[in-house]
Amino acid sequence: MQTVSENKCFGGVQGVYRHASEACGCDMTFGLFLPKETADGPVPVLWYLSGLTCTHENAMVKAGAQEWAAEAGIALVFPDTSPRGEGVANDEAYDLGQGAGFYVNATEAPWAPHFRMWDYVAEELPTIITANFAVAEDRQAITGHSMGGHGALTMAMRLPGRFRSVSAFAPISNPTQSDWGRKQLGAYLGSDESRWAPHDSTLLMQRLGFDGPVLIDQGSKDQFLDLLKPEALAHAMMERRQNGQFRMQAGYDHSYFFVSTFMRDHIAFHAEALFQD
């Protein structure tokens, strides 16, 4: 593993690291914030999954998460959103290919050799981080924005016991019924729509739910509301009587101005679950 950079940040260290990924068959880069408490031993960790077009850097620089994570004594992981590099398939559209991995394991050409982001985020990267850094394996939570909110919710529900809490900012909530989903799931997983269902948080909420608290924030002026379909997830949560909150934030759009405004709330929400005995 190569250290790309390490910077002092709110008493801790914001690092960027690169490693050869077995899951993705290429080099992958991730950001990791470690609070000062890691000097005394492993700390709880919050995973942040980013959205379309993002790298590891977007949330790391724009979300304002480190201040609140340092205050709570929590580590933050910022994975990339897709495999990258020479020989990795791509598309001219911004919402398919590099920068748009959708947190699935692709089975279709030309994506299958590298686009295995489910395995990367759910299995490979956690193993690397817990082996090399002072991060607690048994105190984890997950959040994300847009495509990353979709990834966070689907992983939380499909990996019971892994995460103590889950939250999302403007998640792609019902991708099997949206152009932000049908296009990508069809490309990566093929035309059999039964293979898409495990990657739809609304369908998973109806079928499985989550065994912990859930927090969703959605901006009422989000320019992508028709693609995100938040009402489907809100209805599924209500129907299931899921332990959680779905908050419609008046006047906010889809940007990192929205994310950074409510980041403190989300980290406090996760800290409560992460430090519970």
Side-chain angles (χ1 to χ4, degrees):
M1 188 169 59
Q2 175 191 353
T3 300
V4 177
S5 62
E6 288 183 333
N7 298 95
K8 187 85 169 179
C9 182
F10 292 103
V13 175
Q14 176 61 63
V16 177
Y17 307 94
R18 184 176 297 121
H19 68 101
S21 168
E22 204 171 294
C24 296
C26 64
D27 285 351
M28 295 291 288
T29 302
F30 66 92
L32 175 66
F33 171 73
L34 295 173
K36 64 180 185 298
E37 285 82 359
T38 54
D40 301 320
V43 299
V45 59
L46 174 61
W47 291 76
Y48 183 100
L49 305 187
S50 289
L52 288 167
T53 76
C54 292
T55 69
H56 69 280
E57 188 177 42
N58 294 70
M60 189 181 86
V61 173
K62 296 179 179 180
Q66 292 91 340
E67 178 178 3
W68 313 121
E71 191 175 279
I74 291 171
L76 299 168
V77 184
F78 303 99
D80 202 348
T81 56
S82 77
R84 299 178 191 272
E86 190 177 343
V88 176
N90 201 9
D91 191 271
E92 290 182 359
Y94 75 93
D95 58 354
L96 188 67
Q98 294 186 35
F102 251 75
Y103 304 101
V104 303
N105 287 338
T107 57
E108 305 301 300
W111 315 106
H114 298 285
F115 281 72
R116 301 191 62 79
M117 288 301 294
W118 180 278
D119 283 354
Y120 177 68
V121 174
E123 303 300 335
E124 184 178 23
L125 188 54
T127 300
I128 288 169
I129 287 174
T130 54
N132 290 279
F133 302 97
V135 166
E137 195 171 354
D138 61 342
R139 292 182 184 265
Q140 299 193 43
I142 191 165
T143 187
H145 174 228
S146 194
M147 178 184 73
H150 138 82
L153 289 164
T154 56
M155 287 191 178
M157 285 186 274
R158 286 181 54 198
L159 299 171
R162 170 77 66 88
F163 302 107
R164 294 191 174 199
S165 51
V166 60
S167 72
F169 302 86
I172 299 175
S173 297
N174 196 193
T176 62
Q177 301 302 316
S178 168
D179 288 345
W180 269 3
R182 295 187 65 81
K183 172 183 178 179
Q184 294 86 353
L185 296 175
Y188 295 142
L189 302 178
S191 58
D192 180 356
E193 295 190 18
S194 67
R195 297 166 66 189
W196 303 0
H199 299 284
D200 186 309
S201 58
T202 293
L203 299 181
L204 289 172
M205 182 60 68
Q206 291 169 346
R207 185 166 64 89
L208 300 174
F210 178 61
D211 56 357
V214 177
L215 173 62
I216 311 292
D217 272 319
Q218 173 63 62
S220 69
K221 293 289 182 69
D222 193 313
Q223 58 271 46
F224 303 115
L225 275 174
D226 290 345
L227 293 165
L228 301 171
K229 299 194 175 297
E231 65 283 352
L233 179 58
H235 183 72
M237 288 175 66
M238 183 68 73
E239 207 170 45
R240 189 173 186 84
R241 299 180 182 175
Q242 171 67 44
N243 172 17
Q245 300 178 66
F246 194 110
R247 310 192 304 189
M248 185 63 74
Q249 301 292 0
Y252 285 89
D253 60 18
H254 199 71
S255 70
Y256 266 94
F257 296 111
F258 158 65
V259 173
S260 61
T261 298
F262 298 103
M263 181 56 71
R264 183 181 189 179
D265 288 0
H266 283 243
I267 290 182
F269 163 79
H270 289 295
E272 185 175 353
L274 287 167
F275 286 104
Q276 260 184 5
D277 290 328

